[in-house]
């Protein structure tokens, strides 16, 4: 808190430059001021309470500087900035506009703080709505003040956009989708017009604001009845990249809300020839979004985005499994009371096995994706000797995790008698064992242990040929797995190279050099190597 106050003192001159009186009248760069203040005072980390404290302190300083205090310590006397005051030369200072803006920001930040807390304390939602309405009311006051002929045109437009945004937020929380859409669209239109009329630096700021509003507009459109809106939200999440932050969190929240509405129509799921009823809301929402999440991972533009999406999917899966596990405990207690002893796996237990399968297979695919990335880097020439590059040991660790996940798959309850499933898992384990063995051989090559590496390459070929022979009886079992034929080709090439290196090393060994001195004091060079 003390550091915040020091920083406020340092940035005051910079803020004054944005609030100076222009030649065309009173001007205030509303969006620039609030964005800078938010980034420097907590909102970079989603800390709305800290930002609210900053707004309160800045309001106190402004009132003291302007001599615009609301009474004294004994009695409160309400004072409001009016259009008539701005017309008077004594009050022609843009800090009076800033005073109203900070009041709106303080109310808005409190509302956002309550929105975070309302996840665990639902009754705080009433207070949240009250604060949002208060913020919108201050926004309307600011817009009305900007109607003064002394305020410049740019400030008037920014005030209208800011008021529309706050009004849209109120309607959004009240689930008045049509009114919210109209308010957000008005805000978006104004910022787009401003972006086209001013410098590139300001245009970037306005476009960022438009991007922040767009997910809300699409979510409102979905609730009004636009079925394409969900797909557009997914595309926005992809384009958000790997940076995360408030934008990514906002998109995730909106997508989850959308799925929650769709989940009401989902009642069952089919897996491995068995249909299981899904009664847990969290499981419905997760399963409904599973296809979209997998499609988003497949369309990811880069490895960073793909890794973020994998982590999001795994986190959702773990939460869902935990919810099902709690229900399983309740079911087990009920069985104990009724003394039921059925040998068949219950629907809830089978659902738990299905969700565990999704989690473990996602771990396999994520680690395989990371392995592909490391393999590509391993083949690249090392430019910086001081920087540690990828090594075969890194890949061995990834394949160890993959094999561990596959071993857990084979022990899932309800699938012990599913021989096809067990054979598929065993085949997948053979494929990844072959790749793990290949990189162990590569690690031996690096330390010039040729004989050990040759033995391991032979084992790789054995695994790969076993995979090819077993895959014929299992249709489509290798479609999601790495190609073992490529591995066989690479191993054969490595074997010949390794044999040549081993022969060359044995010829160059000190014991194989001819005795006696050599001309010029140089070591004797080995003669031609026989095939």
């Amino acid at each position: 808190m003390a550091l915040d106050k020091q920083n406020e003192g340092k940035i005051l001159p910079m803020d004054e430059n944005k609030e100076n009186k222009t030649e065309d009248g009173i001007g205030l760069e509303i969006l620039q001021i609030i964005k800078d203040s938010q980034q420097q005072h907590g909102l970079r980390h989603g800390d709305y309470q800290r930002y609210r404290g900053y707004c309160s302190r800045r309001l106190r300083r402004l009132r003291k500087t302007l001599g615009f205090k609301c009474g004294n310590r004994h009695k409160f006397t309400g004072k409001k900035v009016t259009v008539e005051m701005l017309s008077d030369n004594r009050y022609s200072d843009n800090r009076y506009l800033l005073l109203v803006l900070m009041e709106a920001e303080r109310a808005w930040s409190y509302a956002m703080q309550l929105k975070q807390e309302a996840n665990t304390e639902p009754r705080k939602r009433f207070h949240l709505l009250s604060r949002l309405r208060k913020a919108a009311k201050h926004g309307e006051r600011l817009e009305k003040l900007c109607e003064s002929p002394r305020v410049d045109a740019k400030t008037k437009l920014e005030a209208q956009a800011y008021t529309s945004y706050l009004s849209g937020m109120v309607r959004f929380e009240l689930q008045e989708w049509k009114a919210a859409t109209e308010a957000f669209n008005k805000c978006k239109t104004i910022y787009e017009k401003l972006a086209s009329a001013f410098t590139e630096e300001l245009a970037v700021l306005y476009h960022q604001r438009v991007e922040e509003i767009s997910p809300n507009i699409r979510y409102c459109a979905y609730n009004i009845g636009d079925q394409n809106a969900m797909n557009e939200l997914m595309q926005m999440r992809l384009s958000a990249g790997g940076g995360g932050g408030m934008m990514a969190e906002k998109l995730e929240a909106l997508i989850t809300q959308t799925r929650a509405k769709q989940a009401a129509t989902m009642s069952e799921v089919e897996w491995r020839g068995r249909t299981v009823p899904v009664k847990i809301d969290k499981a419905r929402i997760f399963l409904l979004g599973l296809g979209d999440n997998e499609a988003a991972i497949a369309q990811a533009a880069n490895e960073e985005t793909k890794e973020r999406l994998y982590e999001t999917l795994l986190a959702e899966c773990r939460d869902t499994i935990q919810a099902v596990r709690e229900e399983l405990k309740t079911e087990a207690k009920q069985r104990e009371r009724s003394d039921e002893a059925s040998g068949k796996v219950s629907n809830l237990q089978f659902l738990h096995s299905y969700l565990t399968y999704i989690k473990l297979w996602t771990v396999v695919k994520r680690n395989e994706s990371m392995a592909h990335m490391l393999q590509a880097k391993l083949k690249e020439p090392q430019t910086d000797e001081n920087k540690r590059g990828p090594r075969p040991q890194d890949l061995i660790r990834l394949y160890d995790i993959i094999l561990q996940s596959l071993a857990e798959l084979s022990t899932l309850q309800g699938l012990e008698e599913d021989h096809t499933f067990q054979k598929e898992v065993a085949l997948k384990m053979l494929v990844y064992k072959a790749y793990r063995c290949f990189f162990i051989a590569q690690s031996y090559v690096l330390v010039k242990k040729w004989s050990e590496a040759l033995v391991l390459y032979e084992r790789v070929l054995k695994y790969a040929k076993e995979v090819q022979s077993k895959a014929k009886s299992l249709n489509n079992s290798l479609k999601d797995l790495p190609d073992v034929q490529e591995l066989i080709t690479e191993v054969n090439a490595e074997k010949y190279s390794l044999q040549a290196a081993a022969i060359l090393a044995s010829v160059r060994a000190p014991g194989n050099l001819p005795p006696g001195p050599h001309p010029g004091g140089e070591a004797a060079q080995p003669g031609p190597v026989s095939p």
Side-chain angles (χ1 to χ4, degrees):
M1 189 64 73
L3 185 62
D4 278 355
K5 290 178 180 177
Q6 288 175 16
N7 290 339
E8 285 168 32
K10 290 176 186 175
I11 65 166
L12 275 174
M14 180 182 70
D15 283 350
E16 289 299 326
N17 291 337
K18 293 168 190 165
E19 297 153 18
N20 281 344
K21 190 173 176 181
T22 65
E23 292 178 2
D24 300 326
I26 299 171
L28 190 71
E29 295 185 13
I30 295 172
L31 187 59
Q32 184 80 54
I33 289 168
I34 62 174
K35 279 296 173 188
D36 286 349
S37 300
Q38 288 173 1
Q39 286 297 303
Q40 292 168 6
H41 298 282
L43 261 63
R44 187 178 294 175
H45 310 291
D47 190 347
Y48 291 99
Q49 187 174 5
R50 180 180 159 197
Y51 180 57
R52 176 185 157 214
Y54 162 75
C55 291
S56 297
R57 291 192 300 275
R58 190 163 188 187
L59 274 169
R60 196 179 304 120
R61 287 198 307 273
L62 283 168
R63 288 194 181 111
K64 187 176 180 180
T65 306
L66 295 168
F68 201 73
K69 294 182 180 180
C70 296
N72 53 41
R73 68 176 65 186
H74 303 295
K75 185 179 178 182
F76 173 81
T77 308
K79 279 188 180 182
K80 288 186 179 180
V81 184
T82 62
V83 178
E84 291 75 21
M85 283 175 61
L86 293 178
S87 302
D88 191 330
N89 287 331
R90 292 176 298 169
Y91 300 102
S92 59
D93 191 327
N94 50 22
R95 284 178 294 179
Y96 287 101
L97 296 179
L98 184 61
L99 194 70
V100 182
L101 177 63
M102 284 295 110
E103 286 179 336
E105 281 292 286
R106 180 174 63 175
W108 172 82
S109 58
Y110 194 10
M112 294 300 102
Q113 178 191 335
L114 290 166
K115 188 171 184 177
Q116 288 179 335
E117 295 170 1
N119 293 328
T120 52
E121 301 174 69
R123 285 203 59 80
K124 287 196 174 181
R125 181 168 170 75
F126 298 106
H127 196 182
L128 145 70
L129 289 169
S130 170
R131 291 296 93 194
L132 262 184
R133 288 192 186 100
K134 188 80 170 175
K137 190 176 177 183
H138 286 309
E140 287 167 8
R141 277 180 57 214
L142 179 63
E143 185 182 353
K144 191 173 180 182
L145 287 171
C146 289
E147 290 173 3
S148 167
R150 304 197 71 169
V151 176
D152 65 29
K154 178 171 173 281
T155 305
K156 287 178 181 177
L157 284 171
E158 284 206 34
Q160 288 174 22
Y162 182 67
T163 305
S164 298
Y165 172 74
L166 292 175
S167 175
M169 289 298 293
V170 174
R171 301 301 175 191
F172 188 87
E173 290 299 328
L174 292 170
Q175 298 185 3
E176 296 174 4
W177 309 119
K178 195 171 180 181
T181 305
E182 289 172 2
F184 284 136
N185 277 326
K186 181 182 176 182
C187 177
K188 182 182 175 183
T189 304
I190 293 170
Y191 282 130
E192 284 174 342
K193 294 289 184 187
L194 285 168
S196 63
F198 289 95
T199 62
E200 189 176 339
E201 185 183 350
L202 280 172
V204 169
L205 189 69
Y206 294 133
H207 284 309
Q208 282 176 353
R209 188 64 154 180
V210 169
E211 285 175 12
E212 287 174 19
I213 297 165
S214 296
N216 286 0
I217 294 172
R218 297 317 307 152
Y219 184 69
C220 292
Y222 169 78
N223 284 285
I224 291 168
D226 184 354
Q227 296 303 316
N228 295 323
M230 181 61 180
N231 295 331
E232 291 182 25
L233 282 173
M234 295 298 293
Q235 288 300 321
M236 284 180 187
R237 182 171 74 165
L238 278 176
S239 62
M246 289 176 64
M247 182 69 173
E249 287 173 15
K250 191 175 186 180
L251 283 167
E252 291 294 343
L254 290 174
I255 288 167
T256 303
Q257 288 175 34
T258 308
R259 284 178 187 153
K261 288 182 174 291
Q262 294 174 340
T265 60
M266 185 183 184
S267 59
E268 59 188 24
V269 65
E270 187 177 347
W271 182 59
R272 305 300 303 180
R274 179 170 170 177
T275 302
V276 182
V278 184
K279 297 177 182 177
I280 303 168
D281 289 338
K282 204 171 188 70
R284 285 179 180 175
I285 293 168
F286 173 74
L287 292 171
L288 195 67
L290 181 61
D292 290 333
N293 281 326
E294 289 175 344
I297 289 168
Q299 295 169 19
N302 53 58
E303 290 299 326
E304 192 179 358
T305 304
K306 188 180 283 189
E307 178 64 20
R308 180 175 61 82
L309 292 172
Y310 268 126
E311 287 301 326
T312 302
L313 177 57
L314 283 169
E316 288 177 9
C317 193
R318 289 188 198 103
D319 291 344
T320 308
I321 289 170
Q322 185 57 38
V324 174
R325 202 173 282 143
E326 294 297 324
E327 291 294 323
L328 275 171
K329 289 179 185 175
T330 308
E331 186 183 67
K333 288 177 183 176
Q334 289 174 351
R335 282 190 174 184
E336 284 175 11
R337 291 194 200 100
S338 58
D339 295 328
E340 288 183 23
S342 174
K344 186 182 176 183
V345 173
S346 69
N347 285 331
L348 198 58
Q349 181 61 61
F350 198 75
L351 177 63
H352 182 270
S353 295
Y354 177 44
L355 292 168
T356 307
Y357 167 81
I358 292 169
K359 184 192 82 171
L360 293 171
W361 187 241
T362 303
V363 170
V364 169
K365 298 307 291 180
R366 183 194 65 181
N367 281 280
E368 189 188 335
S369 173
M370 291 168 69
H372 281 310
M373 184 177 66
L374 281 176
Q375 284 177 51
K377 287 183 179 178
L378 204 60
K379 292 174 182 176
E380 292 174 2
Q382 192 72 22
T383 52
D384 188 357
E385 293 180 1
N386 297 324
K387 188 179 178 183
R388 181 192 175 278
R391 298 178 300 174
Q393 287 86 340
D394 300 327
L395 286 151
I396 293 166
R397 257 182 241 110
L398 289 174
Y399 284 111
D400 279 336
I401 296 168
I402 288 173
L403 288 168
Q404 185 182 345
S405 298
L406 289 171
E408 288 180 42
L409 276 179
S410 61
T411 61
L412 290 176
Q413 288 190 36
L415 298 170
E416 298 91 345
E417 303 301 320
D418 190 337
H419 300 298
T420 306
F421 178 79
Q422 295 296 338
K423 285 179 182 177
E424 286 175 0
V425 172
L427 186 66
K428 288 169 183 174
M429 287 186 78
L430 272 176
V431 172
Y432 291 113
K433 274 182 180 178
Y435 273 89
R436 178 179 176 275
C437 196
F438 174 78
F439 288 107
I440 293 174
Q442 293 268 292
S443 67
Y444 276 113
V445 169
L446 289 177
V447 292
K448 298 182 180 180
K449 292 189 176 181
W450 317 118
S451 56
E452 290 90 341
L454 278 169
V455 170
L456 287 165
Y457 279 142
E458 289 297 337
R459 188 175 293 180
V460 173
L461 291 174
K462 179 190 167 188
Y463 284 141
K465 285 169 185 175
E466 195 177 343
V467 167
Q468 288 180 329
S469 63
K470 288 185 176 179
K472 293 173 184 175
S473 59
L474 295 168
N475 295 329
N476 298 325
S477 295
L478 293 175
K479 65 176 183 178
D480 294 330
L481 298 173
D483 188 1
V484 289
Q485 187 56 51
E486 286 183 11
L487 185 62
I488 291 170
T489 307
E490 192 170 354
V491 166
N492 285 328
E494 288 284 339
K495 273 177 64 183
Y496 298 133
S497 173
L498 198 61
Q499 286 166 351
I503 293 167
L504 195 62
S506 64
V507 172
R508 284 179 174 170
N512 293 333
L513 293 176
H518 306 290
E522 295 179 356
Q525 298 300 313
V529 179
S530 59

